[in-house]
Amino acid sequence: NINDNSGALHPEVAARAVVEHCADVGIALDGDGDRVIFVDEKGRVVDGDEIMTVVALHLMKRGRLNHNTLVTTVMSNLGLDIAMREAGGRVEKTQVGDRYVVERMRQGGFNVGGEQSGHLVFLDWATTGDGICSALQVLNIMLESNKPLSELTRCMTRLPQVLVNAAVSEKRPITEMPEVEKLIREVEKKLGQNGRVLVRYSGTENKIRVMVEGEDEKSIEAWANQIAEAIVTTLGAPVTAA
């Protein structure tokens, strides 16, 4: 297992090394080198969402972010969207998977995109995710700005996210469950611009995944559980053998 207790899947190893050696930055690649997770000089793990925000804002200021647009997936934190919007940029969302990010980038002529997991794509220099290429872009920004990574990442404030998984007996479209749709709309209205609801089925299991993002963690946790319970009540839980 090339990812066993190391690299991007276990950035805490790099974080300990950064603190131990008083390093300026930690760079953790995954086994095949297409993902990268960073650690700032204080030992804090920095994921793909924060790095994409740093890079996109830096390039946008220099007129080098095509169409002032960053491409991410639906799982990226809403704090990224808010930071881009406040700076005059925009975010395009795709379904989960770096292949969908690259596809949308090519369709729209965008040059920067990626995923929260550390798959970052810079089409000006590479055709797919490349951890070393991504690391070089971030190191270059640190040098150009003469700022540590901890300061650069202040451009994004992460909003709390709650994810609830629940087993269901079938995968019926949400649009065929009017009571559930109504509940989701009510929650979205309460969340306003600084929050969202994402409901999707697992691709491999009979499970519903309910993600709610917003400013108040207790509220979003309650709403996520409420939506998940409503779906399970409508569809029924799977029957298990005795």
Side-chain angles (χ1 to χ4, degrees):
N1 179 2
I2 55 178
N3 293 304
D4 186 27
N5 198 37
S6 65
L9 274 68
H10 295 277
E12 67 277 4
V13 178
R16 287 195 296 268
V18 166
V19 173
E20 180 184 349
H21 298 287
C22 299
D24 290 319
V25 65
I27 297 168
L29 306 176
D30 68 339
D32 60 358
D34 63 351
R35 286 174 50 187
V36 61
I37 296 293
F38 292 83
V39 179
D40 71 17
E41 77 285 358
K42 298 179 181 179
R44 188 182 74 87
V45 174
V46 180
D47 70 8
D49 282 348
E50 291 175 276
I51 291 301
M52 282 190 289
T53 307
V54 168
V55 171
L57 293 180
H58 177 84
L59 293 177
M60 192 163 65
K61 285 178 184 176
R62 286 153 181 77
R64 290 163 47 201
L65 182 67
N66 290 2
H67 309 296
N68 287 339
T69 299
L70 173 66
V71 181
T72 69
T73 75
V74 292
M75 292 307 293
S76 280
N77 193 275
L78 193 60
L80 183 156
D81 299 63
I82 294 169
M84 286 293 292
R85 186 172 68 229
E86 289 179 348
R90 56 189 293 270
V91 176
E92 287 228 359
K93 297 284 182 76
T94 74
Q95 59 182 300
V96 176
D98 58 320
R99 58 170 287 195
Y100 300 110
V101 172
V102 173
E103 185 178 81
R104 182 67 196 110
M105 290 172 70
R106 287 176 175 159
Q107 287 173 348
F110 308 122
N111 60 336
V112 180
E115 295 188 281
Q116 190 180 71
S117 61
H119 276 119
L120 307 177
V121 183
F122 297 89
L123 288 187
D124 289 339
W125 296 284
T127 57
T128 186
D130 185 314
I132 294 175
C133 175
S134 303
L136 288 170
Q137 306 313 312
V138 174
L139 292 174
N140 181 60
I141 291 171
M142 291 172 65
L143 286 169
E144 277 193 22
S145 64
N146 196 30
K147 292 179 180 178
L149 190 56
S150 64
E151 187 175 342
L152 289 171
T153 54
R154 289 176 194 162
C155 63
M156 173 185 159
T157 301
R158 180 177 296 280
L159 292 184
Q161 279 182 340
V162 171
L163 179 65
V164 175
N165 296 307
V168 292
S169 60
E170 59 173 312
K171 298 180 181 179
R172 194 188 311 168
I174 302 299
T175 52
E176 294 180 11
M177 296 182 279
E179 290 302 314
V180 173
E181 273 199 309
K182 180 183 176 185
L183 176 58
I184 292 171
R185 285 196 301 270
E186 288 172 355
V187 172
E188 287 177 330
K189 187 175 180 181
K190 290 173 184 175
L191 289 166
Q193 272 200 318
N194 290 345
R196 61 179 177 136
V197 177
L198 177 64
V199 179
R200 64 189 184 97
Y201 290 105
S202 164
T204 56
E205 304 173 275
N206 268 18
K207 283 187 175 180
I208 190 72
R209 306 196 192 284
V210 180
M211 193 273 282
V212 181
E213 197 169 28
E215 296 173 310
D216 183 75
E217 194 157 4
K218 287 186 178 179
S219 296
I220 63 173
E221 184 176 0
W223 288 329
N225 283 308
Q226 187 181 357
I227 292 169
E229 287 169 11
I231 294 170
V232 172
T233 299
T234 303
L235 297 178
V239 177
T240 55

